Amino acid sequence: MPKMKTNPGAKKRFKLTGTGKIKRKHAFKSHILTKKSKKRKRNLTYFGVVDKADEKNIKRLLSMK
């Protein structure tokens, strides 16, 4: 059986933490920022953690299992 290839789009968007969780960026931070409040934009800056329900699919895209 051939090796699994890593999905290049997923490789750019997700990072693994030391404990095995998957970090992701928040959406809605790239454009049309004038109508969004400072607080909202600031909170979108930080990384989020991928939900447990989506972890299996993302790990498959990253060829982890």
Side-chain angles (χ1 to χ4, degrees):
M1 185 169 202
K3 290 182 181 178
M4 285 277 293
K5 286 194 174 181
T6 300
N7 181 296
K11 182 170 57 176
K12 295 170 192 171
R13 287 171 172 82
F14 301 107
K15 296 278 181 260
L16 216 62
T17 64
T19 57
K21 294 177 184 173
I22 302 170
K23 291 194 304 186
R24 64 169 179 82
K25 283 228 172 166
H26 285 98
F28 309 113
K29 184 75 197 303
S30 59
H31 62 109
I32 315 176
L33 298 173
T34 51
K35 63 174 81 171
K36 295 170 188 158
S37 68
K38 280 185 179 182
K39 181 179 179 180
R40 183 173 165 195
K41 288 186 282 191
R42 187 172 60 246
N43 287 334
L44 290 173
T45 299
Y46 307 112
F47 279 92
V49 178
V50 168
D51 196 65
K52 191 80 171 161
D54 300 320
E55 267 188 21
K56 184 180 176 185
N57 290 329
I58 292 167
K59 284 186 177 181
R60 188 182 299 135
L61 289 173
L62 295 172
S63 299
M64 294 173 60
K65 278 191 180 177

